[in-house]
Amino acid sequence: MNDTDAKQAQIKDEAAAWVVKLNAGPLSGDDAYAFEHWLHASDHHRREFNAHARVWLHAGAVTERTGDTEPFTLGGVVTAWAKIHPGRAWGGLAAACLIVLAFGFLVDLRLQPQTERLAVHTEIGQSKQVTLADGSTVQLNTNSGITTDYSRTERAIKLQKGEAHFVVAKDRSRPFRVYTGNHMIEAIGTAFRVFVGEATEVTVTEGQVRLAVLEAQTDPHVIPVPKTDAIVQAGRNAVFDADRILVEAIEKAEIDKRLSWQTGGLIFSGEPLESVVQEFARYSDRRIMLSNDIRELKVLGWFPVGDTPQFIRALEDYVDIAARTEADGSIYLYRKSPPG
């Protein structure tokens, strides 16, 4: 047997072993990650896995009954293996089967939903869009971070910091949930924005979401119990305030403003200069300071995300403001002429 044949035989053995393991019960997080990695390593892996799964499903041990399937037995596993590899020893498969036998008979094959574990973050001034294993998309704003943990029963996202907009693919068997501390946002066929600042803020842009404040839980294997929950529709904004959820209607123009970073700009429509500078500072590591007499000046306009020089020039051109660069590189803004 040459190296190519040996490699193909190894992949066949690995595919058969994964079919057995998937039938033994839910995969652990590490095994689920390893399976996804193995399955997507090459087209050859996927073809072999599909071939073994199909033969397994049609092996002699399978009988139909009113929409259900009889449990698989070890004999069925061997039959399936023999149909693919007549005359071949099945030692590799037997080793996998012996592990499964410790748990009794094999259950019927349920191909695992796609699992995924990843961590994504953005730097200051950076945004990033990520497509997840189920087809959902996440767009991260500046200085933000998420971790994902897709399992058989849940699509869990932890928004560790910053801001993200989620467009969720439908999957009725696995809820899509975003966690921020003891707060949970569960999608109900929807798109929504989550911002983690002094409080967690949720803006629903499509569909609806379920929000919940969860009881503190020290055992990670116990599902937390909601203390408070609410259903929030599109066109509404919600803020988690301690154990309360405060919900209010929000205009489309305001939603567009809050999501303007997705197109590379920030929109302001009369906010005080102090809050404008605070928002702009999220996208730049350049410190901007204000004299007290200009903090309440109103600002209108569109500004490119993270472009500090252009932001300062626009203020100098259209507002009665001058800028001075300090020795430490920070920028000090002050009024050009005294109010008259």
Side-chain angles (χ1 to χ4, degrees):
M1 180 182 294
N2 59 36
D3 290 344
T4 300
D5 291 340
K7 181 62 176 177
Q8 291 176 346
Q10 178 185 346
I11 292 175
K12 290 178 185 292
D13 288 347
E14 290 171 350
W18 276 119
V19 170
V20 172
K21 196 161 192 174
L22 286 164
N23 276 273
L27 295 180
S28 68
D30 290 340
D31 281 345
Y33 180 83
F35 173 63
E36 286 294 315
H37 180 77
W38 180 89
L39 189 65
H40 291 92
S42 74
D43 290 338
H44 191 183
H45 285 198
R46 289 188 289 275
R47 285 195 300 270
E48 288 299 330
F49 178 81
N50 290 336
H52 282 74
R54 283 196 299 271
V55 172
W56 189 306
L57 284 170
H58 292 91
V62 182
T63 58
E64 295 298 323
R65 56 169 187 181
T66 62
D68 202 356
T69 305
E70 292 289 346
F72 288 99
T73 65
L74 179 56
V77 179
V78 178
T79 300
W81 177 258
K83 285 185 177 182
I84 299 178
H85 307 296
R88 276 193 60 193
W90 54 282
L93 179 61
C97 289
L98 289 175
I99 297 173
V100 173
L101 287 176
F103 300 93
F105 289 126
L106 301 173
V107 298
D108 60 312
L109 178 60
R110 296 287 187 262
L111 291 180
Q112 302 287 323
Q114 286 189 311
T115 56
E116 177 179 64
R117 279 184 176 178
L118 58 82
V120 184
H121 73 279
T122 55
E123 304 295 339
I124 293 176
Q126 179 187 27
S127 66
K128 183 182 297 184
Q129 180 167 304
V130 181
T131 300
L132 303 179
D134 64 330
S136 299
T137 60
V138 184
Q139 189 160 359
L140 290 175
N141 199 359
T142 177
N143 195 26
S144 302
I146 62 168
T147 59
T148 72
D149 188 0
Y150 275 29
S151 68
R152 282 167 51 96
T153 57
E154 181 187 37
R155 295 171 289 167
I157 311 288
K158 289 185 179 179
L159 179 58
Q160 298 163 318
K161 63 176 181 176
E163 181 177 12
H165 185 251
F166 301 88
V167 179
V168 181
K170 292 182 179 180
D171 182 347
R172 293 181 179 178
S173 66
R174 291 190 300 166
F176 185 100
R177 294 172 177 143
V178 178
Y179 295 92
T180 64
N182 69 324
H183 302 142
M184 182 191 76
I185 304 100
E186 181 176 322
I188 309 176
T190 189
F192 57 95
R193 158 192 174 263
V194 182
F195 173 69
V196 178
E198 293 182 2
T200 296
E201 180 179 276
V202 181
T203 307
V204 185
T205 58
E206 181 183 326
Q208 56 185 350
V209 300
R210 173 178 173 248
L211 306 183
V213 179
L214 305 176
E215 294 277 6
Q217 184 56 256
T218 56
D219 185 350
H221 301 293
V222 176
I223 299 174
V225 177
K227 292 192 289 186
T228 307
D229 64 354
I231 301 295
V232 181
Q233 308 287 339
R236 294 185 175 274
N237 192 74
V239 177
F240 287 95
D241 178 25
D243 289 345
R244 298 184 302 165
I245 301 171
L246 308 178
V247 182
E248 63 178 357
I250 184 171
E251 298 292 334
K252 185 179 184 304
E254 180 62 25
I255 293 176
D256 291 342
K257 279 175 54 179
R258 297 185 185 196
L259 295 176
S260 61
W261 56 269
Q262 293 182 312
T263 56
L266 298 174
I267 299 173
F268 300 105
S269 54
E271 289 85 349
L273 179 58
E274 183 173 28
S275 64
V276 170
V277 167
Q278 288 175 349
E279 177 65 15
F280 195 84
R282 294 175 56 206
Y283 302 86
S284 173
D285 54 7
R286 192 88 178 267
R287 185 183 178 198
I288 301 176
M289 300 178 293
L290 306 175
S291 63
N292 289 330
D293 58 343
I294 65 172
R295 295 180 184 276
E296 297 302 319
L297 289 178
K298 306 302 181 185
V299 177
L300 296 89
W302 181 93
F303 301 91
V305 166
D307 191 338
T308 303
Q310 184 167 334
F311 176 64
I312 298 301
R313 283 196 300 270
L315 292 178
E316 290 179 316
D317 289 343
Y318 299 105
V319 188
D320 186 28
I321 285 177
R324 181 177 71 233
T325 301
E326 304 292 284
D328 61 359
S330 62
I331 299 171
Y332 181 73
L333 301 180
Y334 58 96
R335 191 184 294 272
K336 289 180 183 176
S337 55

